[in-house]
């Protein structure tokens, strides 16, 4: 945006929202110039609206002036979705952070988009209810960002992802029109599923300003086990055996040898360094059924070669077992300063094949790739540990990522299980959907955002 126009827009935004909600100092702009990836983009101005009406006013101004708008929650996204487009208005939704209702009779919550995910977990829990989607970033991420990315997390295997809990939405469209879709009912077959369309749309179709979310009864209790395997194939076989035995764990996480070494170096908690994989398995439900399920899982893991199985006996032991998994993100960045976190996802039975392929790709391109993730639902997080100031290593990483995507697609999978396409995966979308598939998505984008201002460049690339 040219300097004169920029000043005019900033002044207009201040008139609409008041001084305190419009940030334009270089320090403020810098804080909004990145997300959870290594990408960077400078916005022209940041606004922090407090109401739907203020969001609508900003979008009306932006569409009239043709200025790009980048919606933003906590900025923890891992595909570059909240990275500002040059000269854009960043629409920071974290000031809209009220939990408006926890309705125990209809088992739902009504929330604003800036509510931090873990706050909703706690609010639901204190009403005896449960909001299952639990991205590992839940202490920071917002519900708006979760909806825009269709966030998942360890509990996806048993409970599904964010999409499965969104009953209704209020969304502001690019021109400032406010659309209400879905509602408070568990079923809704009225017209097109607009709610479903906005979930996972990465801020490219509209700005979520309110959400009605389904809650479920809180599980009575949970139990966690850790099983260590000499060979990653044995871990994969154990997963198949557990699921085949009719037990659906509430989480089934895997960490490979590279990840285990990073976490042990970071926490020094005595993780085994002579194994290729650790499985962390959680079951939840009525206390009476759980110890039997835990016994069965332990037996199946041992039958498939686990060298050690630990069953947490107390809340403290459970927290200790989960500590290793929760420390993975900070632990892996000890190796190299830049972490490229992918989330290729395959049908569950193809997890061993994808792990083998990724290990081979790491060898071929001389890269360190830590593999961990939600193995129970086929969603792996190969993290490429690189240094973005080393052009040769970055070029090898780029080639490796393309091969990982191709391997996942060849195994019947998808580019992204939960992080979205954003900027990083945009060049590969056509590999998954082909020309006609991407063209259909573009038509939807052009219809809902005829001005092309909402998060341009995300999903489709080339802003
Ligand atoms: C350590 C770590 C662990 C993570 N673990 C997981 C995990 O287990 N599972 C998982 O799914 N993800 C995970 N993530 C990724 C990330 O936390 C999620 O994608 C999360 O949903 C992003 O929320 P956010 O509030 O930070 O959104 P942001 O990063 O701010 O934005 C993400 C996208 O949502 C759009 N957006 C934000 N708010 C709105 C709104 N109100 N209306 C319309 N569009 C909006 C943005 O434009 C952008 O495209 C992890 C990230 C980190 C850093």
């Amino acid at each position: 945006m040219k300097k004169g126009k920029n000043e005019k827009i900033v002044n207009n935004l201040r008139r609409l929202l008041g001084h305190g909600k419009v940030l334009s100092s270089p320090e403020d702009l810098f804080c909004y110039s990145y997300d959870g990836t290594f990408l960077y983009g400078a916005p022209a101005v940041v606004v922090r609206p407090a109401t739907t009406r203020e969001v609508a006013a900003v979008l009306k101004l932006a569409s009239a002036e043709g200025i790009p708008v980048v919606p933003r929650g906590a900025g923890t996204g891992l595909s570059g979705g909240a990275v500002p487009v040059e000269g854009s208005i960043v629409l920071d939704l974290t000031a809209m952070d009220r939990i408006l209702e926890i309705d125990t009779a209809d088992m739902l919550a009504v929330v604003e988009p800036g509510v931090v995910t873990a706050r909703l977990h706690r609010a639901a829990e204190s009403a005896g209810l449960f909001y299952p989607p639990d991205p590992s970033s839940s202490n920071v991420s917002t519900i708006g960002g979760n909806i825009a990315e269709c966030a998942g997390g360890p509990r996806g295997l048993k409970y599904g992802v964010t999409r499965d809990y969104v009953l209704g939405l209020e969304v502001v469209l690019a021109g400032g029109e406010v659309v209400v879709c879905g509602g408070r009912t568990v079923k809704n077959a009225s017209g097109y599923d607009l709610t479903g369309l906005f979930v996972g749309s990465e801020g490219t179709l509209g700005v979520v300003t309110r959400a009605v979310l389904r809650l479920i009864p809180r599980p009575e209790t949970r139990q966690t086990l850790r099983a260590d395997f000499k060979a990653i194939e044995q871990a994969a076989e154990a997963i198949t055996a557990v699921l085949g035995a009719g037990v659906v764990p509430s989480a089934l996480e895997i960490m490979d040898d590279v990840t285990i070494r990073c976490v042990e170096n970071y926490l020094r908690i005595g993780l085994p360094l002579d194994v290729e994989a650790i499985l962390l398995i959680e079951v939840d439900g009525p206390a009476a059924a759980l110890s039997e399920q835990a016994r069965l899982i332990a037996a199946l893991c041992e039958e498939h070669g686990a060298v050690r199985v630990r069953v947490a006996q107390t809340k403290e032991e459970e927290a200790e077992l989960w500590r290793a998994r929760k420390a993975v993100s900070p632990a892996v960045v000890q190796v190299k300063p830049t972490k490229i976190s992918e989330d290729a996802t395959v049908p569950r039975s193809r997890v061993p094949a994808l792990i083998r392929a990724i290990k081979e790709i790491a060898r071929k391109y001389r890269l360190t790739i830590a593999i961990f993730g939600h193995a129970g639902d086929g969603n792996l997080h190969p993290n490429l540990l690189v240094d973005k100031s080393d052009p040769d290593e970055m070029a090898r990483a780029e080639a490796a990522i393309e091969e990982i995507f191709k391997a996942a697609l060849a195994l019947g999978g998808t580019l992204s299980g939960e992080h979205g396409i954003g900027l990083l995966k945009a060049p590969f979308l056509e590999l998954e959907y082909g020309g006609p598939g991407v063209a259909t998505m573009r038509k939807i984008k052009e219809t809902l955002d005829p001005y092309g201002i909402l998060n341009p460049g995300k999903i489709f690339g080339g802003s």
Side-chain angles (χ1 to χ4, degrees):
M1 219 191 301
K2 289 215 176 74
K3 195 161 178 264
K5 183 172 178 188
N6 197 4
E7 271 168 26
K8 187 183 123 203
I9 297 296
V10 170
N11 287 336
N12 282 343
L13 288 168
R14 290 206 162 115
R15 254 194 300 279
L16 288 173
L17 307 184
H19 263 255
K21 294 177 188 164
V22 180
L23 311 176
S24 61
S25 74
E27 299 80 6
D28 282 330
L29 298 184
F30 182 74
C31 292
Y32 285 89
S33 60
Y34 57 88
D35 67 355
T37 63
F38 60 93
L39 301 172
Y40 173 89
V45 57
V46 175
V47 293
R48 304 193 71 232
T51 63
T52 301
R53 193 191 286 230
E54 288 181 352
V55 172
V58 171
L59 287 174
K60 214 166 166 190
L61 174 76
S63 56
E65 298 282 348
I67 304 167
V69 174
V70 180
R72 183 183 179 94
T76 65
L78 292 175
S79 56
V83 173
V85 180
E86 200 69 34
S88 57
I89 300 174
V90 166
L91 193 60
D92 170 1
L93 292 142
T94 54
M96 295 178 70
D97 65 348
R98 290 177 303 161
I99 296 179
L100 299 165
E101 264 184 77
I102 299 282
D103 180 336
T104 50
D106 288 333
M107 294 209 285
L108 56 83
V110 183
V111 301
E112 291 186 326
V115 169
V116 169
T117 317
R119 220 182 108 214
L120 177 61
H121 288 153
R122 288 193 294 273
E125 206 156 303
S126 56
L129 294 169
F130 181 40
Y131 178 68
D134 66 334
S136 306
S137 51
S138 62
N139 281 325
V140 190
S141 72
T142 66
I143 292 295
N146 294 171
I147 291 171
E149 298 289 11
C150 190
R155 294 186 189 132
L157 169 62
K158 181 168 181 180
Y159 292 106
V161 294
T162 301
R163 168 167 287 118
D164 302 308
Y165 295 87
V166 183
L167 295 176
L169 290 175
E170 176 187 82
V171 179
V172 183
L173 300 183
E177 310 88 339
V178 179
V179 174
V180 175
C181 45
R184 297 172 73 101
T185 52
V186 173
K187 289 173 161 182
N188 184 324
S190 287
Y192 293 140
D193 179 8
L194 293 182
T195 313
L197 179 62
F198 287 114
V199 177
S201 64
E202 304 187 27
T204 62
L205 300 181
V207 178
V208 174
T209 47
R210 190 171 288 205
V212 184
L213 302 171
R214 185 164 74 93
L215 305 175
I216 61 174
R218 193 177 63 189
E220 189 179 309
T221 187
R222 45 178 66 106
Q223 185 143 31
T224 303
L225 305 86
R226 193 188 88 196
D228 308 337
F229 294 87
K230 283 273 184 216
I232 206 153
E233 276 76 14
Q234 294 172 322
E237 282 164 16
I239 294 172
T240 309
V242 168
L243 297 171
V247 181
V248 184
S250 45
L252 208 174
E253 298 285 299
I254 195 165
M255 290 162 57
D256 79 341
D257 49 351
V258 177
T259 313
I260 297 167
R261 274 200 302 277
C262 291
V263 175
E264 179 53 19
N265 194 42
Y266 183 67
L267 291 179
R268 309 265 175 210
I269 51 173
L271 291 179
L273 298 176
D274 58 345
V275 299
E276 267 187 15
I278 283 178
L279 291 183
L280 202 58
I281 308 174
E282 181 195 85
V283 282
D284 69 1
L290 281 199
S291 44
E292 185 44 43
Q293 283 187 9
R295 248 196 309 276
L296 176 62
I297 292 172
L300 287 169
C301 286
E302 277 161 359
E303 213 173 280
H304 287 86
V307 285
R308 219 169 294 106
V309 180
R310 264 184 71 190
V311 183
Q313 302 298 339
T314 61
K315 282 274 155 226
E316 291 70 37
E317 280 182 34
E318 179 185 301
E320 182 64 21
L321 292 187
W322 274 105
R323 206 169 142 222
R325 173 62 184 90
K326 287 187 194 247
V328 167
S329 284
V332 294
V333 288
Q334 295 172 109
V335 176
K336 289 274 172 100
T338 311
K339 167 171 86 84
I340 307 176
S341 177
E342 292 303 343
D343 72 324
T345 301
V346 291
R348 186 184 296 140
S349 63
R350 317 309 298 272
V351 165
L354 184 61
I355 291 176
R356 271 196 298 276
I358 296 169
K359 294 233 173 241
E360 185 47 44
I361 291 166
R363 264 191 295 276
K364 177 173 166 189
Y365 290 101
R366 292 175 286 116
L367 293 166
T368 304
I369 304 184
I371 307 174
F372 57 93
H374 321 305
D377 50 20
N379 183 189
L380 294 180
H381 292 311
N383 271 230
L384 288 80
L385 308 176
V386 292
D387 181 348
K388 75 172 175 186
S389 65
D390 178 343
D392 172 61
E393 191 171 51
M394 287 305 274
R396 282 184 277 123
E398 240 173 70
I401 287 168
E402 182 163 350
E403 283 200 24
I404 291 173
F405 288 152
K406 286 185 174 160
L409 293 174
L411 291 166
T414 172
L415 300 177
S416 173
E418 54 184 24
H419 294 166
I421 296 297
L423 287 173
L424 285 178
K425 301 187 194 99
F428 306 103
L429 189 63
E430 207 166 304
L431 283 180
E432 181 164 349
Y433 287 108
V438 175
T440 306
M441 290 188 200
R442 271 187 196 280
K443 275 188 213 153
I444 294 171
K445 163 74 177 163
E446 284 157 13
T447 305
L448 287 180
D449 177 17
Y451 319 94
I453 59 158
L454 275 175
N455 222 358
K458 314 299 163 65
I459 300 182
F460 303 105
S463 86

